[in-house]
Amino acid sequence: MNKATDTQGVPVRAKKIWLAMTGAAAAITMAACSGGTSANVQPVAAESTPSSSAATTTSPAATTTTTPPSTSTSTAPPSTSTTTKKPATTTQKPPAAAKPAANPAVPCAVTDGACVDISAKKAWLLSGGKVVYGPVPITTGRKGYPTPTGTFHVLSKEKMHLSKEFDNAPMPNSVFFYPGDAFHTGSLSAPSHGCVHLSSAASLKFFNTLSVGDPVQVVP
C-alpha cells in the first residue's frame, strides 16, 4: 500500500496530524491568552467597580431651609391726633374814644360830674361834655368859711345829714365832695359855712344824679 506524500515528500497523513496538533496548540494558546486576559481584566473590573460606585455615588440632596417671608406686618395706624393751630384771634382794641371837649358854656374843664362857679353863683351837672342840668343858683361859704376850690370827687352821700358842728343843723340831700363840705338844700340868700347851698329841687337832682367818685370842680 502506497503512502501519499506531498510535494516535499512528507507523508500527507503525517502533515495533517502535524497541522491538527499545530491548530490544537494554537487553540490552547489562544485559550490560555484569553484566560489570562480575562484574569487580568477581572481585577481591573473589580477595582473599577468601587471607583465607578464612588463616581456614581450621589451626595444626598442638600437640605435647603427656606424661611418663609414674614407674614406678620406691623403697620403703625395713622395718627388720628390732629393738632390744628387756632387762627390768631388778636383783636385790635378800638381806638380810644376822644375825650369830650370842655363845654364852653361852663367855666370848668371837667366833662362829667358837677361844676361850681363861686363868683357867678351858679352850678351845673355835666355828662359827656354836655350840660344835663343847670345852671342853677347857689350860695357858697362866707368870710372865714370859704368853699374850697379845685377838682374833687364825690366822697359820700347822705339823704339827711345833721351837722354836729352847727347844733345838728339839718342838711337834706347831702353830697359830700370835701371833708365837711357838701351840696345840700339851704338858703339861697345867706352864705354857708363852706357848703354849696341849692334849692330843694336842685339838691334833689344833684343827689340823684351824682355818684361816689364823680368829679366835682369848683372855680373861684
Side-chain angles (χ1 to χ4, degrees), residues 133 136-138 173 184-186 188 197-205:
Y133 185 70
V136 294
I138 61 168
N173 301 319
H184 66 83
T185 302
L188 294 178
H197 286 177
L198 297 164
S199 66
S200 177
S203 68
L204 181 61
K205 181 68 173 180

Side-chain angles (χ1 to χ4, degrees), residues 48-63:
S48 63
T49 299
S51 176
S52 174
S53 174
T56 57
T57 299
T58 304
S59 298
T63 302

Side-chain angles (χ1 to χ4, degrees), residues 45-160:
E47 289 176 1
S48 63
T49 299
S51 176
S52 174
S53 174
T56 57
T57 299
T58 304
S59 298
T63 302
T64 304
T65 302
T66 304
T67 303
S70 175
T71 58
S72 175
T73 305
S74 177
T75 304
S79 175
T80 57
S81 175
T82 304
T83 302
T84 304
K85 290 186 178 181
K86 293 183 178 180
T89 55
T90 303
T91 304
Q92 292 184 350
K93 293 183 179 180
K99 187 176 180 180
N103 193 318
V106 298
C108 299
V110 295
T111 56
D112 293 285
C115 173
V116 176
D117 187 344
I118 293 176
S119 60
K121 295 183 180 182
K122 295 178 181 179
W124 298 261
L125 289 175
L126 307 168
S127 177
K130 297 180 179 180
V131 175
V132 294
Y133 185 70
V136 294
I138 61 168
T139 57
T140 54
R142 66 186 68 186
K143 189 177 181 179
Y145 297 93
T147 299
T149 59
T151 301
F152 313 98
H153 292 85
V154 175
L155 301 175
S156 63
K157 295 167 62 175
E158 193 172 346
K159 187 63 178 175
M160 179 57 75

Side-chain angles (χ1 to χ4, degrees), residues 34-54:
S34 299
T37 301
S38 176
N40 291 335
V41 170
Q42 285 297 334
V44 172
E47 289 176 1
S48 63
T49 299
S51 176
S52 174
S53 174

